[in-house]
Amino acid sequence: MGNRRVRSYRDQRGSGALMDFPAFTDLGALADELAKRGDVKLRALMTQAWRVQSCLGDIRQAIDCMDALTALVDRPKSEDTAARLATERALMTTIIMLYARATSTSTGKGERGSIQLDKDRLSASEWADHTAIVDVRNQAMAHVYTSRSLNDHDWHREKFFAVHIGDGVWKPASATNQTGYHQATADRLSRMLPVAQRELKAKFDKRMAAVSKMINDDVKGGALFKHVFDPVPVFGSEEGVRLVLGGAPQGESAFWINEGDRRAG
């Protein structure tokens, strides 16, 4: 059963050579079919696996952004420009938001939610780093609290004042600080992103193992082959299919499609 092969739709039309890919089946469609019969176990297991896979995707994107931020900060300060400082600020904000979204944010109705890190699995210093990053997200990025110091930095400082311009006339003004790159927070992120990736990957593997056990032990082969689909249009190309298959032995069959082609439109 496991060796059954399928042709792509393109090949079935006779416009290309046979691609010897294994069968791909739509587990979502299978879960819906089982749920109609009252068996919602597969749907529940898939939802749990999807949630951690999606959060793991946040962490991987944050790591990519961290690499870009580090390279930018390492450039000579003589190259400082308004655009560079804005890019540093945007990258740091993105990394913090992705990290917190994956590991700590609460869940509302219809939201994906997070896979919160287990305090008992982290060292005291790791938990302190994690808490500090989440505090920056909650109290400096997602919300504004004036004159509140977070660990080693005042992210928001406000001052309303007046300047005497002569003849008894005062001109009112206000000032606020602007935090772009913050070294201590960047250091915490550099330490915690690999930890978060490790922890979420372990949970992903565990939940995928539960899905694997169910479909191989509890679902008949005919039900799985009922929902076979052509992988080429789904994953964009033959190369996309090969990427999925290449990652499967390491438990990395999840991958992300980079959308937003600047050449489009």
Side-chain angles (χ1 to χ4, degrees):
M1 180 178 68
N3 294 324
R4 185 180 298 187
R5 306 286 178 172
V6 293
R7 296 173 184 265
S8 74
Y9 295 131
R10 225 176 14 171
D11 295 328
Q12 289 176 5
R13 292 198 302 267
S15 58
L18 175 65
M19 292 176 295
D20 193 24
F21 292 143
F24 284 65
T25 195
D26 187 338
L27 288 182
L30 175 59
D32 289 343
E33 179 182 340
L34 294 175
K36 290 178 181 178
R37 305 175 190 172
D39 184 355
V40 297
K41 182 180 178 182
L42 179 58
R43 178 183 287 171
L45 291 174
M46 286 174 52
T47 299
Q48 293 173 0
W50 163 80
R51 182 174 292 113
V52 69
Q53 180 263 345
S54 182
C55 291
L56 188 57
D58 282 351
I59 295 299
R60 286 177 173 154
Q61 290 179 56
I63 290 172
D64 289 343
C65 290
M66 193 72 224
D67 290 342
L69 178 61
T70 300
L72 191 62
V73 170
D74 285 345
R75 290 167 58 184
K77 290 300 180 184
S78 60
E79 298 179 15
D80 279 356
T81 63
R84 173 180 170 174
L85 296 176
T87 303
E88 289 179 1
R89 184 167 59 253
L91 284 168
M92 175 154 280
T93 300
T94 298
I95 297 164
I96 292 169
M97 298 298 279
L98 285 168
Y99 176 89
R101 187 173 74 177
T103 64
S104 72
T105 51
S106 57
T107 306
K109 184 178 180 181
E111 290 185 84
R112 179 202 69 187
S114 63
I115 303 296
Q116 300 195 6
L117 300 184
D118 299 331
K119 184 177 182 180
D120 293 343
R121 288 181 54 87
L122 304 183
S123 68
S125 61
E126 287 172 343
W127 185 253
D129 281 342
H130 170 70
T131 301
I133 295 168
V134 173
D135 283 346
V136 170
R137 182 269 178 194
N138 292 340
Q139 301 182 47
M141 296 295 182
H143 306 279
V144 174
Y145 293 88
T146 59
S147 302
R148 179 181 296 187
S149 180
L150 295 177
N151 296 291
D152 40 25
H153 184 64
D154 290 330
W155 287 82
H156 299 288
R157 297 193 309 275
E158 306 289 340
K159 192 69 175 180
F160 209 88
F161 57 96
V163 177
H164 185 248
I165 59 175
D167 297 327
V169 178
W170 293 79
K171 183 177 181 179
S174 64
T176 183
N177 67 319
Q178 174 177 277
T179 298
Y181 178 79
H182 183 236
Q183 185 64 55
T185 300
D187 290 343
R188 293 187 184 103
L189 287 163
S190 293
R191 292 190 294 264
M192 284 308 298
L193 285 168
V195 174
Q197 184 179 34
R198 178 196 73 205
E199 293 300 303
L200 267 61
K201 178 64 165 57
K203 293 185 178 184
F204 174 69
D205 290 344
K206 182 178 180 179
R207 296 184 183 187
M208 289 296 278
V211 175
S212 179
K213 179 175 174 55
M214 181 179 179
I215 63 174
N216 285 290
D217 294 353
D218 302 335
V219 179
K220 294 181 179 180
L224 287 160
F225 278 105
K226 180 179 179 181
H227 300 286
V228 164
F229 66 90
D230 175 16
V232 175
V234 172
F235 299 114
S237 66
E238 294 179 33
E239 179 60 24
V241 179
R242 283 190 284 270
L243 285 172
V244 174
L245 293 175
Q250 291 77 36
E252 294 288 347
S253 54
F255 77 106
W256 290 265
I257 299 172
N258 187 22
E259 295 182 341
D261 188 344
R262 286 187 291 271
R263 297 168 298 177

